[in-house]
Amino acid sequence: MTDRPWLFRTYAGHSTAKASNALYRGNLAKGQTGLSVAFDLPTQTGYDSDHELAQGEVGKVGVPVCHLGDMRMLFADIPLDQMNTSMTINATAPWLLSLYIAAAQEQGADISALQGTVQNDIIKEYLSRGTYICPPAPSLRMITDIAAYTREFLPKWNPMNVCSYHLQEAGATPEEELAFALATATAVLDDLKGKVPVEHFPQMVGRISFFVNAGIRFVTELCKMRAFVALWDEICRERYGVEDAKYRRFRYGVQVNSLGLTEQQPENNVYRILIEMLAVTLSKNARARAVQLPAWNEALGLPRPWDQQWSLRMQQILAYETDLLEFDDLFDGNPAIDRKVQALMDGARAELATIDGMGGAVEAIAYMKGRLVESNAARIRGIETGATTVVGVNKWESGEPSPLTAGDDAIMVSDPAAEADQLDRLAKWKAARDPKAVEAALTALRKAAQDGTNIMPPSIDAARAGVTTGEWADVVRAAFGQYRAPTGVSHAPSNRTEDLDDIRARVDAVSAKLGRRLKFLVGKPGLDGHSNGAEQIATRARDCGMDIAYEGIRLTPDELVRAAQDDEAHVIGLSILSGSHIPLIESFMLKLQAAGLGHIPVIAGGIIPDEDALRLQKMGVARVYTPKDFRLNRIMEDIVTLVDRPEVAAL
């Protein structure tokens, strides 16, 4: 019997709810069969668009949703009871799901018919993505509040999408991706046991879904998915006693690897995306049930609708033009596949045993973070040394200019008026609502957060009353406190000196001139939680003998200027991948000058177009690095050279 195709999705959202709605309706008209919503960083981290920390971030990496009016606009003319919607939202998942439910009810939908997923995986946020708000325990409580609520009222909804995607983006090996994701799932299910009736628990196990990454090592990734299927079945059966096989199914969606998309020769990314998609579609018994593909040019900037269409057509051609869906599993009984699957399972079981020995995923967060940083360092060293080949990057680097990247409209530019439009509509929303209804809703929400009542019902009431994202999150912050996750970067001197002798000698020489160890402050201003690059720069600088200062994500320019003063930094590195580098770095440079620290050289890294790099240099930024600058030792040499100047060394 011919298998049904997976859901075709495109991860999308930008500028405003109105612009994103037009994009969604256009993609659905082109044959997309599900929606995957990208939210901007203020929405993900619980701030309204008018908050100080949201400046420059509104609508950059997704759509801003501050209130029910935004959610209503986002899904205008899209019947939610007929849609399968995935929302990539974590810390504020209870709130965004509440807004979605309220918007669906306004459409007249029966909410029991709603189908979709909230990602709702906070543990991986501590490890890799950085959009967490609260400490682990209350975060876990809100995850299982959603699960318990959806069991009763949204039976077709996936209350959690255990997300190993960002683990691989942070450098996880296949064994680590398997183990860390499965450990997260068991932490959630262990907490959920006490919130649902015993007889309904197997059904809730069956509602847990996964969101994975498929990298370029095609055979290994295919085997990883088969290992996921087998290990999840084993856990459901042995740990939770789930007898019904349908509740033990490993149900997953996938986005293929964005970490491997290259700025150099970006047209090569088309082939990478296709090959990576094959790893999660060819093996029928381990086939994804939803696939979303990045666009070929996402290492350069925001993709155009045409670029997203190209990725959608890739899926449609595989599903409808080939005969893939007409056959049983092509890999059952293959001895090479079986050996690799078994090796991955053995490695994952060993890692799971270590995590269980620490008390589970929540208690093992610092351990897992450290492993990811080390694994990512090994990955980067492989590319630097040539042990890992990346075509067009470290081998066959010369090539013809790409006509696909020519012209002013090669990538889409965010509408500069979008933030002003969002702020205007937010102000009008706040002015038009009933303040007494808002205060009553916030009081009920605060009480539920404090006394342990399920947070979903008062959140839905708050959505209907006109409460905003920032107001909801402020209650959560006040009730549960905020949290700063471990960085995974040790500040202790390193003995990893392979291929670093010459740089270490230069660091020693400059430090002798300075009269103390060269101090390098690494900072991530703004709301961007993608910390992988900053972690690797800090780690390599430490290995080169520098004294590093790195306190993690989400720091304001003022906080970083104070850190530069307190640490007496000799050089400062700023990492921003959200596209907000211009306003954030401009603010930082002005504050640095005002503090009398304008002599300290500043370097910047991120997805930064050439014209933006020129603007940053005019602001006084000494060096600008983008994903094409993958040779970290060259960056270390630049840092030493910047500090080894008379005007710096004399201070």
Side-chain angles (χ1 to χ4, degrees):
M1 184 175 71
T2 301
D3 194 16
R4 62 184 174 88
W6 51 91
L7 282 171
F8 303 148
R9 285 186 173 135
T10 302
Y11 182 56
H14 67 89
S15 303
T16 64
K18 184 177 182 180
S20 298
N21 173 262
L23 181 63
Y24 295 163
R25 288 187 288 109
N27 285 343
L28 290 169
K30 294 170 185 172
Q32 188 171 298
T33 53
L35 294 177
S36 181
V37 182
F39 296 99
D40 73 355
L41 288 174
T43 304
Q44 291 184 52
T45 50
Y47 294 101
D48 286 334
S49 299
D50 58 1
H51 193 278
E52 176 189 7
L53 284 172
Q55 184 180 1
E57 303 279 13
V58 177
K60 281 286 172 59
V61 301
V63 57
V65 176
C66 291
H67 47 74
L68 182 55
D70 284 340
M71 188 65 82
R72 186 188 297 145
M73 183 181 291
L74 184 63
F75 293 110
D77 300 317
I78 299 174
L80 295 183
D81 54 358
Q82 299 174 33
M83 188 52 52
N84 191 307
T85 304
S86 172
M87 294 193 285
T88 302
I89 197 70
N90 296 283
T92 54
W95 176 241
L96 270 298
L97 180 55
S98 296
L99 290 172
Y100 188 86
I101 290 169
Q105 288 174 325
E106 284 189 345
Q107 291 184 355
D110 174 1
I111 67 166
S112 67
L114 297 182
Q115 297 184 70
T117 304
V118 276
Q119 192 164 95
N120 202 23
D121 177 357
I122 292 296
I123 292 177
K124 75 98 171 57
E125 294 298 316
Y126 301 135
L127 299 178
S128 56
R129 180 60 185 81
T131 68
Y132 56 81
I133 297 174
C134 302
S139 294
L140 189 61
R141 170 237 166 133
M142 288 191 286
I143 290 173
T144 51
D145 275 0
I146 290 177
Y149 182 86
T150 56
R151 182 205 68 79
E152 189 170 358
F153 298 105
L154 279 72
K156 297 180 180 180
W157 194 270
N158 298 319
M160 186 198 187
N161 206 218
V162 181
C163 181
S164 70
Y165 173 83
H166 286 105
L167 301 179
Q168 186 177 130
E169 295 290 296
T173 65
E175 293 87 349
E176 289 167 350
E177 187 179 344
L178 285 162
F180 295 178
L182 293 170
T184 296
T186 57
V188 170
L189 288 174
D190 288 350
D191 191 71
L192 182 60
K193 270 186 174 181
K195 291 190 176 184
V196 299
V198 172
E199 65 272 21
H200 292 296
F201 185 73
Q203 292 173 289
M204 291 310 301
V205 174
R207 294 314 309 168
I208 298 294
S209 62
F210 290 76
F211 187 74
V212 306
N213 200 327
I216 196 64
R217 292 176 57 80
F218 163 71
V219 176
T220 297
E221 293 295 302
L222 185 149
C223 292
K224 179 189 76 181
M225 298 321 307
R226 291 173 69 95
F228 254 135
V229 169
L231 286 168
W232 183 240
D233 184 80
E234 181 181 289
I235 288 169
C236 293
R237 191 176 60 252
E238 296 181 4
R239 185 175 183 128
Y240 298 114
V242 178
E243 297 179 0
D244 192 330
K246 72 180 180 183
Y247 295 143
R248 302 198 305 265
R249 282 186 308 160
F250 184 79
R251 300 179 309 112
Y252 77 98
V254 65
Q255 167 145 331
V256 304
N257 185 247
S258 292
L259 184 66
L261 299 179
T262 63
E263 182 180 358
Q264 305 94 316
Q265 300 181 19
E267 62 277 4
N268 296 342
N269 294 329
V270 175
Y271 305 124
R272 294 185 177 105
I273 292 166
L274 173 60
I275 291 167
E276 290 164 353
M277 179 175 64
L278 293 178
V280 295
T281 53
L282 287 187
S283 178
K284 179 179 180 179
N285 294 337
R287 182 171 292 151
R289 297 319 312 174
V291 176
Q292 59 189 49
L293 302 179
W296 67 280
N297 56 351
E298 286 188 21
L300 305 177
L302 192 65
R304 300 158 297 185
W306 183 88
D307 304 311
Q308 294 187 333
Q309 173 186 297
W310 201 9
S311 289
L312 174 62
R313 295 292 183 252
M314 197 181 294
Q315 295 197 56
Q316 292 168 327
I317 289 168
L318 180 63
Y320 292 115
E321 292 193 24
T322 78
D323 56 357
L324 172 66
L325 299 180
E326 298 172 16
F327 290 87
D328 292 334
D329 198 292
L330 307 176
F331 299 94
D332 282 354
N334 182 308
I337 296 293
D338 290 345
R339 284 195 301 272
K340 183 61 176 177
V341 170
Q342 190 60 52
L344 290 172
M345 290 176 67
D346 291 344
R349 286 193 190 102
E351 196 67 77
L352 279 166
T354 298
I355 294 169
D356 279 341
M358 295 178 174
V362 170
E363 288 75 12
I365 285 171
Y367 163 77
M368 292 189 288
K369 180 64 175 179
R371 288 295 301 265
L372 290 176
V373 171
E374 290 299 312
S375 294
N376 205 15
R379 182 190 67 83
I380 290 172
R381 282 197 301 274
I383 297 172
E384 282 185 290
T385 62
T388 300
T389 296
V390 182
V391 174
V393 173
N394 64 0
K395 199 164 187 179
W396 305 296
E397 297 173 46
S398 63
E400 300 299 323
S402 171
L404 293 176
T405 60
D408 294 335
D409 60 348
I411 59 172
M412 193 162 72
V413 177
S414 296
D415 181 0
E419 183 169 351
D421 175 68
Q422 175 69 12
L423 294 176
D424 180 62
R425 287 187 298 102
L426 176 58
K428 290 176 179 175
W429 177 268
K430 289 181 177 179
R433 61 190 181 168
D434 180 352
K436 290 183 179 179
V438 169
E439 187 52 44
L442 290 173
T443 298
L445 177 66
R446 194 174 298 114
K447 182 177 183 299
Q450 292 168 344
D451 67 17
T453 303
N454 192 302
I455 206 163
M456 284 301 297
S459 294
I460 296 169
D461 289 341
R464 294 195 194 102
V467 167
T468 67
T469 296
E471 291 166 342
W472 181 90
D474 282 344
V475 170
V476 167
R477 278 185 271 265
F480 302 137
Q482 296 193 72
Y483 181 71
R484 184 163 290 280
T487 67
V489 179
S490 170
H491 291 256
S494 171
N495 59 5
R496 187 192 292 132
T497 60
E498 185 179 358
D499 299 324
L500 299 179
D501 289 344
D502 290 345
I503 302 176
R504 288 175 67 92
R506 285 197 67 197
V507 171
D508 287 344
V510 171
S511 297
K513 288 183 186 178
L514 296 169
R516 59 188 174 90
R517 184 59 44 184
L518 190 163
K519 187 77 174 189
F520 180 28
L521 170 65
V522 179
K524 283 197 63 62
L527 298 178
D528 172 36
H530 285 103
S531 58
N532 304 332
E535 291 157 3
Q536 293 308 312
I537 291 291
T539 298
R540 183 63 59 84
R542 178 203 65 194
D543 293 346
C544 290
M546 300 181 201
D547 183 7
I548 61 166
Y550 173 60
E551 298 305 321
I553 64 171
R554 223 181 298 166
L555 296 170
T556 66
D558 283 317
E559 288 172 325
L560 287 170
V561 169
R562 283 197 297 272
Q565 289 175 314
D566 295 344
D567 292 321
E568 297 181 310
H570 297 115
V571 61
I572 300 166
L574 302 178
S575 171
I576 306 168
L577 279 83
S578 66
S580 300
H581 42 270
I582 294 294
L584 286 171
I585 292 177
E586 183 175 38
S587 173
F588 175 80
M589 297 299 288
L590 290 172
K591 293 175 185 294
L592 195 70
Q593 289 282 353
L597 302 176
H599 59 275
I600 303 176
V602 175
I603 63 176
I607 301 175
I608 301 173
D610 290 343
E611 58 271 24
D612 285 2
L614 291 174
R615 288 182 63 185
L616 294 177
Q617 288 164 354
K618 288 179 181 178
M619 294 176 197
V621 175
R623 297 283 191 282
V624 176
Y625 301 100
T626 69
K628 70 178 182 297
D629 301 298
F630 65 93
R631 291 183 171 90
L632 300 191
N633 285 357
R634 290 185 182 176
I635 297 175
M636 297 302 115
E637 291 278 5
D638 287 350
I639 290 171
V640 177
T641 299
L642 286 170
V643 176
D644 192 16
R645 296 180 303 171
E647 65 269 29
V648 176
L651 295 166

